[in-house]
Amino acid sequence: MRHTLPIAPQFYVTAPQPCPYLEGRMERKLFTALQGESADKLNDSLSQQGFRRSQNVLYRPSCAECSACLSARISVEDYAPSRSQKRTSRRNSDVERRATSPWASEDQYELFRTYLDSRHADGGMADMDVFEFAAMIEETPIRSRVVEYLDPARSGLIAVSLTDVLSDGLSMVYSFYAPDEPKRSLGTYMILDHIEIARDAGLPYVYLGYWVPGSQKMGYKSNFSGLEVYIGGRWQKVRDPEAFNADMHPLSTDPIAEQVANIHLPDTRPTG
């Protein structure tokens, strides 16, 4: 019997675009398609090497003259809530959590639009229509969940997280929430709740996406103890966020060919 060996994923680089986090800088991304029977293995492996998922694509920042964007995750074992985070948990003790399959709903899209119009009206997703939103939620070749948070008093959604289930943790792909509930600190609360979900499931990490030292948009991520960032091909503990500076040296990024050569791919050969 003849076996067909799977083709190794091909990596590409996007054209430079204005960076949303650092004014005057251009960003580009290294990416590959996420598809086929080995999609879960590929997603697990590349997530552990600083990649993120967007629908059927895995990507990682690969800027020519900057390496400020650092992939971040929380070590569940090393996490200890601050007093502020304990207060956030108490303020949201009435919130109900509901985890569903990755299907988009009208209620989700309405909350998504309210969130964007309030927080990111000039962002890259500002013009996303209901069909593009549905694609963001539903086009996933791996194990994903939509985690909804409901306020019984409002009888509706107040927060949503599209979450991937990895072999070693939960990856919060995209989150949005009601902007008219500032006292609840819903962005922080969703992360706190995902830490508890991961702990209950015996998963060691919660992946948060990218953290840019010094960026106000990303500053909330450094408020969590147990934070780790991916630098130089390995995960490092962030003991003092203030000690990290955005690396914008022109030689801070390896050439694309070297980056691709150093990516470790999972073994997807058939067994038996």
Side-chain angles (χ1 to χ4, degrees):
M1 181 179 296
R2 179 178 296 176
H3 293 284
T4 301
L5 295 179
I7 300 175
Q10 301 296 306
F11 290 87
Y12 307 90
V13 180
T14 62
Q17 301 178 33
C19 178
Y21 307 118
L22 296 170
E23 186 176 353
R25 291 278 173 168
M26 302 296 287
E27 72 166 359
R28 66 180 184 182
K29 296 173 181 176
L30 180 67
F31 70 95
T32 189
L34 182 62
Q35 58 191 5
E37 296 179 358
S38 301
D40 279 298
K41 287 184 178 180
L42 183 63
N43 189 48
D44 283 345
S45 179
L46 294 192
S47 293
Q48 293 165 9
Q49 298 173 71
F51 281 76
R52 294 283 288 169
R53 183 181 73 83
S54 177
Q55 294 175 233
N56 298 317
V57 170
L58 289 170
Y59 69 92
R60 186 173 73 184
S62 180
C63 303
E65 297 182 353
C66 176
S67 58
C69 293
L70 305 176
S71 187
R73 70 185 185 185
I74 295 171
S75 168
V76 174
E77 182 180 8
D78 295 335
Y79 170 73
S82 66
R83 285 182 293 180
S84 174
Q85 290 163 356
K86 289 179 180 178
R87 289 195 297 269
T88 296
S89 293
R90 289 195 296 268
R91 281 196 296 266
N92 290 284
S93 60
D94 60 326
V95 172
E96 296 179 2
R97 180 213 301 152
R98 180 173 64 195
T100 69
S101 298
W103 295 107
S105 70
E106 293 183 4
D107 289 344
Q108 292 170 11
Y109 182 66
E110 182 178 350
L111 180 62
F112 174 73
R113 286 293 350 154
T114 302
Y115 171 77
L116 284 186
D117 293 343
S118 174
R119 296 297 185 92
H120 304 286
D122 58 349
M125 304 174 75
D127 297 328
M128 184 179 288
D129 62 26
V130 65
F131 301 105
E132 292 168 321
F133 173 78
M136 180 182 74
I137 298 293
E138 298 175 7
E139 289 186 11
T140 170
I142 62 169
R143 187 183 177 194
S144 301
R145 295 290 184 270
V146 173
V147 185
E148 300 179 331
Y149 297 90
L150 300 93
D151 179 359
R154 292 173 52 150
S155 300
L157 286 178
I158 58 171
V160 175
S161 176
L162 174 60
T163 302
D164 289 348
V165 183
L166 309 179
S167 61
D168 69 341
L170 302 176
S171 177
M172 301 180 70
V173 176
Y174 191 77
S175 301
F176 51 95
Y177 51 86
D180 60 346
E181 293 276 2
K183 292 183 179 180
R184 284 190 179 274
S185 302
L186 289 168
T188 294
Y189 175 68
M190 280 191 284
I191 296 175
L192 295 175
D193 190 60
H194 274 67
I195 293 172
E196 290 307 310
I197 296 173
R199 193 190 308 277
D200 291 343
L203 297 171
Y205 301 108
V206 174
Y207 289 80
L208 300 180
Y210 295 104
W211 173 57
V212 180
S215 170
Q216 291 185 347
K217 291 182 179 180
M218 296 292 188
Y220 69 93
K221 297 180 183 181
S222 63
N223 294 330
F224 291 85
S225 61
L227 190 69
E228 300 180 357
V229 292
Y230 191 76
I231 302 177
R234 64 186 182 90
W235 290 94
Q236 301 181 30
K237 296 183 182 298
V238 179
R239 304 191 186 280
D240 179 12
E242 298 296 329
F244 280 77
N245 296 311
D247 191 345
M248 293 179 282
H249 190 277
L251 300 179
S252 63
T253 304
D254 292 332
I256 293 296
E258 290 186 24
Q259 292 185 45
V260 173
N262 289 328
I263 293 172
H264 303 291
L265 297 175
D267 185 356
T268 57
R269 293 174 297 182
T271 59

